[in-house]
Amino acid sequence: MKQKIVITGSNGLLGQSLVKLLLKSSDDVEIFALSRGENRLRNKRGYQYHEIDLTDQTALNRIIDKIQPDVIVHTAALTNVDACEIRKDECYTINVEVVEYLVALCRQYSTHFIHLSTDFIFDGQKGALYNEEDKPNPLSYYGWSKLESEKVVIKANIKYTILRTILVYGLVDDNDRSNIVLWVKNSIENQKNIHVVTDQFRMPTFVDDLALACKLSIEKETFGIYHISSNELLSIFEITQQVAQIFQLDKKYIHPITTKALNLTAERPFKTGFDLK
C-alpha cells in the first residue's frame, strides 16, 4: 500500500520543490498537494492537486477525512515579517489556528506531522550559533506566531517533526512570491537600486536541501526539533553580492545600509545562524 503524503502550501517555494522531489524519487507514495489558487506546478501528473483555503476548517476537515494521510508536511504560512506585524489577526489565524486544525486531524488519523518553523523564534543576542535546545525569544509577531505554532505541535500528543530553517531561496515554476535570489536578480535586471543591510547575518538555505530534509523526515519518521540551513554565516549584503556575481549582474545597484536606517515595521534578530554539529 502506498504511503499517502499531504503537502500544504504546494504552490510555494518549498511546496513545489518537495512535490517535484517526491515524484522523482519514490513510486511508493501518493502525493496530495494543497494550496490556494490554481496549481502552479508545470507538471500536473503523478499527484492530486486540491485548491483550498486552509483557514476554512470545514473544507480542511473534509479533504483530510477523505485522504486520511500517513504524513502531512505543513509548509504553508504567512511569512512576510512586516505584514505579520501589521495584520496580527490574519497572521495568528494562518500561522497558529491552522496548525491547531491540522494537529487535531493528525491525532485522529495517527498522522506524522512535519512542521516548518523559523530562526526568527530567536532574538539573535546569543553571540554564537543556535542549537535546538536554546531558549527562544522572538522579537517580532511573526516569530512569536511560529513559536506558538511549535508549542501547539509539541503539546498535541502526535508524531511530529519540527524543521526550523533560515532564509530559504531557490527557483520554482510560476512563483509569485519573491525570495532573496529572485529579488536581487529581478531588481538588477530592471536596473533598480536596492538597499541591503550589512548588520544582519543569516545562514541561507537552498530550497532543494530543505525539501530533502523533509523527505528524510518522512522516510526515517524523525521525531523532535531539527535545525536545517547551510553552514555559511553571511551578512544579507554579502548574500546579495554573491547572487549578483553568480548571475553576472552589475553590483552597482546594490547599496549597503544599516537596519536602523531602514526603519522596518517589525524588529529582526541580527544574527541567527544554526549550530549544525
Side-chain angles (χ1 to χ4, degrees), residues 17-39:
S17 300
L18 182 55
V19 170
K20 289 179 180 179
L21 178 62
L22 293 175
L23 286 174
K24 287 179 183 177
S25 58
S26 179
D27 296 324
D28 297 325
V29 298
E30 283 186 84
I31 302 168
F32 302 86
L34 276 57
S35 202
R36 286 185 176 181
E38 294 183 3
N39 184 8

Side-chain angles (χ1 to χ4, degrees), residues 80-265:
N80 184 309
V81 181
D82 291 327
C84 288
E85 205 71 25
I86 296 167
R87 307 197 302 270
K88 289 185 172 68
D89 289 345
E90 180 185 358
C91 174
Y92 187 85
T93 298
I94 295 172
N95 288 357
V96 183
E97 289 183 353
V98 167
V99 175
E100 293 174 340
Y101 304 158
L102 287 168
V103 297
L105 291 162
C106 288
R107 191 161 49 239
Q108 182 176 349
Y109 295 110
S110 299
T111 301
H112 179 191
F113 188 63
I114 300 174
H115 179 57
L116 275 294
S117 192
T118 174
D119 57 316
F120 272 38
I121 66 165
F122 298 113
D123 61 16
Q125 298 299 314
K126 182 180 179 182
L129 302 179
Y130 285 94
N131 60 48
E132 289 84 348
E133 288 74 40
D134 281 323
K135 185 178 180 180
N137 183 37
L139 300 177
S140 63
Y141 194 82
Y142 165 68
W144 178 86
S145 72
K146 294 301 289 184
L147 180 58
E148 284 300 300
S149 71
E150 287 191 14
K151 293 176 181 177
V152 169
V153 174
I154 291 167
K155 293 177 182 177
N157 192 28
I158 60 171
K159 296 180 289 185
Y160 74 84
T161 308
I162 294 172
L163 301 178
R164 295 177 182 151
T165 193
I166 305 174
L167 197 62
V168 182
Y169 69 93
L171 301 172
V172 291
D173 301 342
D174 192 19
N175 188 29
D176 69 343
R177 290 171 59 187
S178 188
N179 59 75
I180 193 163
V181 171
L182 292 177
W183 175 60
V184 174
K185 184 174 182 291
N186 293 338
S187 296
I188 297 178
E189 286 176 344
N190 289 293
Q191 299 182 348
K192 180 181 177 182
N193 291 305
I194 55 176
H195 294 86
V196 184
V197 292
T198 57
D199 54 357
Q200 290 185 36
F201 295 82
R202 306 282 183 261
M203 285 178 165
T205 308
F206 183 41
V207 68
D208 287 4
D209 293 336
L210 185 56
L212 179 58
C214 293
K215 178 177 178 287
L216 291 172
S217 295
I218 294 168
E219 293 173 349
K220 297 181 179 296
E221 299 182 4
T222 56
F223 179 82
I225 299 172
Y226 299 86
H227 285 177
I228 308 295
S229 72
S230 70
N231 60 3
E232 188 174 11
L233 186 67
L234 300 167
S235 73
I236 306 295
F237 183 78
E238 288 172 327
I239 294 168
T240 61
Q241 293 280 303
Q242 288 192 8
V243 172
Q245 183 173 339
I246 289 168
F247 288 100
Q248 297 182 324
L249 301 170
D250 194 338
K251 296 178 183 178
K252 74 179 183 181
Y253 294 100
I254 306 174
H255 304 281
I257 196 171
T258 63
T259 298
K260 185 177 181 180
L262 271 182
N263 195 29
L264 298 166
T265 301

